[in-house]
Amino acid sequence: MLRPAYSESPIEPPPSWQALPYGDWLKEQVESGLDEWWPRIFGYHLLKLGPLADTLPTRLCPVPHQFGLAPQRGSVRAELTRLPLQNASIDAALVPFCLEYQQDPHALLRELDRVLISGGHLVLVGFSVLSPLAFGYLWPKRHHQFPWSGRLFTPGRVHDWLSLLGYRVLSHESLAHHTMLWSPEKFPTAQRWLADLAPGLGSVYLIVARKMEAPLTPARQRWHLRRPLVGQPVREAVGRESKPQVAARQHRDTTKG
């Protein structure tokens, strides 16, 4: 049974990449995955949401106005679920490692949906629970350390949330096939082996989705109009047509008599 996405208590997010195990290496992995997509995203305003987004380079993105927003850092400081932005005012949003550390991740997605324009791009980066990262839960002390202190979701669950909001997933990529329990320089062959045999089991997912005008799978019509009935009952119509014939026959009998 899936745990509810809502957390009863607030969750502290990592304040910087260095707060994560091997954060510099992890940042390089995310940068390499994003570089392929930046030239394909256009518009006027790019929102870089969360404490880790502002330091990710986005020079390959042609969007002219790029700004960071986070509670404690960035050019704009505000709560992630209360964005001080107008409806449909943002062309693209980069959201790295935010859903895992939100008390209500659904509220965050709804707020992003509010500020994104139709056709806008949503770039989500997060930790996947279906990955080598899950080995960290075998040590209880790791439960209170980053990234295991957050609520890790499966990429499929995130796909479902986006589908309900009417988004079309353009790309889903798995990155960082590593446990983050030891240095990435150890056992590089094992990492390559895992990436080749199980490419979808990366510890980090990168999802690029586009906001659509309407949901992709509209509700199926469960009722149908019946075919219209004949304007008048058949028996009545036949009877009405036969009356003149009966009257004509009676007239001929009277004449013969």
Side-chain angles (χ1 to χ4, degrees):
M1 182 178 179
L2 293 177
R3 294 187 304 170
Y6 181 82
S7 176
E8 296 295 336
S9 57
I11 307 174
E12 180 183 358
S16 65
W17 289 96
Q18 287 68 33
L20 295 168
Y22 312 103
D24 293 333
W25 171 82
L26 180 62
K27 182 182 177 184
E28 292 178 359
Q29 299 294 308
V30 174
E31 288 177 5
S32 63
L34 291 173
D35 285 347
E36 179 183 355
W37 273 98
W38 287 136
R40 311 181 194 181
I41 296 178
F42 300 93
Y44 298 98
H45 306 287
L46 170 64
L47 169 63
K48 303 168 72 172
L49 192 68
L52 304 183
D54 201 27
T55 56
L56 284 172
T58 53
R59 57 184 177 275
L60 297 179
C61 182
V63 177
H65 182 219
Q66 306 178 10
F67 65 100
L69 188 153
Q72 303 298 332
R73 60 183 301 172
S75 55
V76 180
R77 299 188 180 186
E79 294 296 328
L80 302 189
T81 55
R82 296 180 180 179
L83 302 178
L85 303 172
Q86 296 180 356
N87 296 347
S89 59
I90 299 298
D91 299 277
L94 170 63
V95 189
F97 305 114
C98 291
L99 292 178
E100 299 89 339
Y101 303 98
Q102 278 296 308
Q103 188 174 3
D104 188 356
H106 292 166
L108 175 59
L109 288 177
R110 289 193 299 267
E111 186 68 356
L112 286 166
D113 180 67
R114 180 185 66 82
V115 301
L116 272 174
I117 67 169
S118 177
H121 288 83
L122 179 60
V123 183
L124 296 175
V125 182
F127 293 112
S128 173
V129 69
L130 295 179
S131 70
L133 196 66
F135 284 106
Y137 289 113
L138 298 177
W139 287 267
K141 67 176 183 179
R142 297 279 185 180
H143 296 187
H144 304 287
Q145 301 175 5
F146 297 124
W148 300 277
S149 59
R151 295 172 60 84
L152 277 59
F153 305 108
T154 64
R157 194 172 182 182
V158 179
H159 278 230
D160 292 340
W161 295 344
L162 293 173
S163 178
L164 290 174
L165 289 173
Y167 283 73
R168 180 165 64 95
V169 174
L170 304 179
S171 174
H172 172 199
E173 184 178 355
S174 294
L175 309 171
H177 293 73
H178 190 263
T179 63
M180 298 188 185
L181 296 174
W182 52 77
S183 172
E185 298 178 357
K186 293 183 178 181
F187 313 113
T189 304
Q191 294 181 46
R192 290 193 295 269
W193 176 80
L194 180 61
D196 292 337
L197 295 183
L201 295 183
S203 295
V204 174
Y205 63 80
L206 169 60
I207 296 176
V208 181
R210 190 174 186 181
K211 182 177 179 179
M212 310 302 291
E213 285 283 356
L216 295 178
T217 53
R220 192 173 183 181
Q221 188 175 358
R222 297 182 179 274
W223 53 272
H224 302 277
L225 289 174
R226 294 183 178 181
R227 300 180 64 181
L229 298 175
V230 180
Q232 52 187 353
V234 177
R235 183 179 301 175
E236 180 182 350
V238 173
R240 187 175 302 172
E241 292 178 357
S242 61
K243 285 181 179 179
Q245 298 177 2
V246 174
R249 184 181 303 173
Q250 291 178 353
H251 177 72
R252 290 196 299 269
D253 294 345
T254 303
T255 305
K256 291 179 180 180

